[in-house]
Amino acid sequence: MYLVHGDGAAMSDPITCPECEGKGGQRLGRLRIACRFCHGRGWVGAEHEPAEPPPPPAEPPPAWEHRIWSDPTAAALGCRYCLGSKTVAHLDENTRTLVMAPCRCRTSGDPSVSA
């Protein structure tokens, strides 16, 4: 059923929140954590209709393109792969072992080669 608001906009009837089942969130001791879907009201609909979240990107961006690297403190670490340790770790799933290898910044001698 749809209600028509005074300005002519159609809105759905309020219903019990399907995420928190009308509780409005969770209680952890004295702390109350509001439901992310209904924002703690316990119901959705009418003028509080939740918007659909944006779809996730088709493929996440590579780690070296993360915005943290524009921060001067993070950029001072040097290499984005090893963070200055000159060694990278790799989990070999076939042998179930952790393999340590020299980072490419150590083999080339230039930390700017990392992405």
Side-chain angles (χ1 to χ4, degrees), residues 79 86 102-114:
C79 179
K86 308 283 188 217
C103 182
R104 67 182 191 178
C105 72
R106 182 168 84 176
T107 57
S108 71
D110 181 15
S112 64
V113 299
S114 60

Side-chain angles (χ1 to χ4, degrees), residues 1-103:
M1 174 180 203
Y2 285 97
L3 299 175
V4 178
H5 198 267
D7 61 0
M11 296 179 287
S12 62
D13 285 337
I15 60 169
T16 302
C17 177
E19 294 292 318
C20 68
E21 298 173 349
K23 296 175 188 165
Q26 288 182 306
R27 282 224 173 261
L28 299 173
R30 294 182 5 195
L31 181 64
R32 181 178 180 268
I33 301 173
C35 173
R36 294 177 61 192
F37 193 72
C38 68
H39 303 284
R41 284 184 296 275
W43 56 272
V44 293
E47 66 272 3
H48 299 289
E49 192 70 41
E52 287 292 322
E59 196 171 299
W64 57 85
E65 289 181 6
H66 194 277
R67 66 177 183 249
I68 190 67
W69 295 110
S70 62
D71 185 307
T73 306
L77 292 172
C79 179
R80 297 178 184 181
Y81 291 111
C82 69
L83 304 176
S85 70
K86 308 283 188 217
T87 306
V88 292
H90 170 71
L91 180 62
D92 186 350
E93 293 182 10
N94 293 332
T95 61
R96 300 179 61 97
T97 57
L98 186 65
V99 179
M100 302 297 283
C103 182

